[in-house]
Amino acid sequence: MNEQSEPAAPAPNQVPAPAAAGGQPGDSPDGASAVVRSVARGLLDLKAAPLPKMSKPRWLAWLPHLVLLYLAAAFFAVTTEQLGNHYGVNGSVRPLLATLVGASIVIAMRWPMAGYWLGLTGAGLIAAQIHGHVGQGQSWPWMPAGMFAFAPVLLLVSLRVPPRVTVGAVTVVVACTGLAEGLLRPEHSGTTAPGAILLFAFTGLLGYALRATRLARTQLVQQETLTEEERARRTLLEERSRIARELHDVVAHHMSVISIQAQVAPFLVENPSEELKENLAGIRANAVEALTELRRVLGVLRSEQPGEDADAHHPQPTLAELGGLVDNVRAAGLEVTTEIAGIRRPLSPGVELTAYRIVQEALSNCLRHAPGSVVEVGIAYGPRDVHLCVANTAPTRPAPPSMGAGHGLLGMRERAGMLGGELAAGPRPDGGYEVSAVLPMDPVSPSGVTSAGPETKKKDS
């Protein structure tokens, strides 16, 4: 009895040799079988994949469905006629076979692979039924209209399945045609294999191209949507950074005042207790630390906008500088009138800055988009809020092309919302445009007492 030796185990450091020189992972038998299994699963997947409607124009949304229904009815009639008149097939089987041909197109509109197999089954039954009736030169296994009736089904399949499944579907129908002609072809019949190969290959390529175009268009729309959302988000963040940089001086001023007051307070009290000194020292330390952190964050924000470093330490504007702003706009060629109603009094620094920036941005929009118009700027001081309104008439000449998307309305809304206010903007009936805002305020006089006095009204032309 001979004993067979077991194969020697590979050495610990031995590297397995490649299966073939220049071989790729996908070229292995396992990779090929995985592809075949994937194609087979796709061919046997009978799940629904409805044919989408046309997006534009809307009144033709159902046009593809109507065309396919018309083709189904037309091929039902043609198949019935050819079975009876060309091949002599009569009786109840003739409308049944024609129904399979038409139904395959209708079913493929929602279940593409189910319609494919139904159409292929119908073609096989028709080939078997006419096998004994084929005359001299008559086509088999496909009837003259049979290939063209199956082409819409194959097109519906290729539009909604992956490319490899489309290749599998074309391969199956071409292989069935070739086997039928090679093994069962009747005497004196005409061949249909070359025409079937050309027609079905062209249909598969057409469906693949249309599917690829549709997917590319869908991805492009999605990418454009994401890009637009990202652009809007970036614009919002840029405007918020700009607002934060402008409000730094306001916050830093208050923090500095707190620090100084906490440092001086012990000297204003006779014999202050140690507990009081300790608390005031803690307040000052916290204020200094907060101011340091604020400056550090501001440095990061300003490093993203190097062009604005020159104005980093300039005082922030207030409504007291409105006259200079209006004069600059007038010098640029716009006719501007201002009207101030109510008791004109100082506001909190944040409200002053926000109100000035809203008016400034609205006037800039008038310069860019409404050349030659007449602009009215109105400011009304109420007991608890301040009302702003910048309105212009219709432009008298075309506006120059814009250099790009700005931060105008977005920035104004962000500033008003930051204070809990409201801003509205829109066209006027006369063809002009209006921007109005309501900002809550905390009017404080230099002595710390709320201002009072008769209501005044001022108008510049």
Side-chain angles (χ1 to χ4, degrees):
M1 184 176 180
N2 295 330
E3 295 183 358
Q4 295 181 351
S5 60
E6 297 182 357
N13 297 328
Q14 183 177 354
V15 178
Q24 298 296 329
D27 297 335
S28 64
D30 290 342
S33 61
V35 172
V36 172
R37 287 195 298 269
S38 174
V39 172
R41 285 195 297 268
L43 291 174
L44 298 176
D45 188 358
L46 306 182
K47 67 181 179 182
L51 183 68
K53 298 184 294 183
M54 291 180 62
S55 57
K56 294 179 181 180
R58 291 187 177 181
W59 62 279
L60 289 179
W62 294 99
L63 179 61
H65 302 75
L66 296 177
V67 170
L68 289 171
L69 290 175
Y70 173 79
L71 288 177
F75 282 120
F76 170 84
V78 172
T79 302
T80 303
E81 188 272 336
Q82 289 186 355
L83 282 173
N85 297 338
H86 293 197
Y87 294 91
V89 177
N90 296 301
S92 59
V93 70
R94 185 173 64 167
L96 177 61
L97 294 176
T99 300
L100 291 178
V101 173
S104 64
I105 299 177
V106 177
I107 292 176
M109 292 167 59
R110 183 171 182 85
W111 297 277
M113 292 313 304
Y116 171 84
W117 289 114
L118 181 62
L120 194 59
T121 301
L125 293 175
I126 290 175
Q129 188 67 33
I130 67 175
H131 185 273
H133 302 270
V134 178
Q136 181 68 33
Q138 287 186 314
S139 60
W140 190 90
W142 295 96
M143 294 194 308
M147 290 186 297
F148 297 98
F150 191 74
V153 177
L154 191 58
L155 179 63
L156 290 172
V157 169
S158 59
L159 284 174
R160 286 172 288 168
V161 299
R164 62 176 57 182
V165 179
T166 298
V167 173
V170 174
T171 301
V172 168
V173 66
V174 169
C176 290
T177 302
L179 288 175
E181 285 209 5
L183 301 177
L184 305 171
R185 179 181 174 185
E187 267 189 75
H188 311 300
S189 65
T191 179
T192 58
I197 293 174
L198 290 176
L199 177 61
F200 296 149
F202 172 77
T203 302
L205 287 174
L206 177 61
Y208 167 76
L210 293 176
R211 180 177 185 270
T213 302
R214 188 187 75 232
L215 293 178
R217 188 182 297 112
T218 301
Q219 292 176 357
L220 179 62
V221 171
Q222 293 175 349
Q223 187 62 38
E224 288 178 348
T225 302
L226 293 176
T227 302
E228 189 64 29
E229 292 176 354
E230 184 62 28
R231 185 183 297 112
R233 188 180 299 110
R234 184 173 62 251
T235 301
L236 179 62
L237 292 177
E238 289 175 357
E239 188 62 23
R240 287 179 176 177
S241 297
R242 180 185 174 194
I243 295 172
R245 291 193 300 273
E246 292 181 348
L247 290 179
H248 161 263
D249 292 341
V250 176
V251 179
H253 168 74
H254 290 296
M255 297 302 298
S256 300
V257 170
I258 293 174
S259 174
I260 295 173
Q261 288 178 336
Q263 185 178 11
V264 174
F267 300 97
L268 303 179
V269 181
E270 293 183 3
N271 301 322
S273 64
E274 292 299 324
E275 183 178 358
L276 176 61
K277 291 181 179 180
E278 183 178 348
N279 287 335
L280 292 174
I283 292 174
R284 181 177 183 276
N286 287 331
V288 172
E289 182 179 357
L291 188 59
T292 302
E293 293 295 331
L294 181 63
R295 287 170 177 166
R296 183 178 294 114
V297 173
L298 180 70
V300 174
L301 293 176
R302 281 178 175 157
S303 66
E304 297 176 355
Q305 302 288 339
E308 298 184 9
D309 288 345
D311 300 329
H313 302 291
H314 287 191
Q316 297 298 341
T318 65
L319 288 177
E321 303 174 37
L322 182 61
L325 175 62
V326 171
D327 290 339
N328 290 335
V329 176
R330 286 173 181 161
L334 279 185
E335 181 181 349
V336 184
T337 60
T338 62
E339 183 174 349
I340 300 176
I343 303 175
R344 188 169 185 173
R345 52 196 182 275
L347 311 174
S348 62
V351 177
E352 288 274 5
L353 174 61
T354 297
Y356 181 89
R357 290 302 188 196
I358 290 177
V359 174
Q360 182 187 43
E361 188 61 42
L363 290 175
S364 298
N365 288 342
C366 293
L367 281 173
R368 285 194 297 266
H369 305 298
S373 62
V374 178
V375 185
E376 298 178 359
V377 178
I379 302 177
Y381 291 86
R384 289 182 297 274
D385 47 33
V386 58
H387 295 254
L388 309 173
C389 180
V390 179
N392 63 273
T393 60
T396 58
R397 57 181 182 272
S402 177
M403 299 302 294
H407 298 185
L409 289 178
L410 177 64
M412 288 188 280
R413 286 196 176 95
E414 189 70 16
R415 290 178 183 276
M418 176 186 63
L419 299 177
E422 298 178 353
L423 185 138
R428 304 176 67 186
D430 61 355
Y433 202 83
E434 179 176 336
V435 175
S436 59
V438 179
L439 305 177
M441 65 177 181
D442 183 18
V444 179
S445 65
S447 61
V449 181
T450 301
S451 302
E455 185 176 285
T456 62
K457 192 172 184 178
K458 177 182 179 181
K459 184 172 183 178
D460 296 325
S461 57

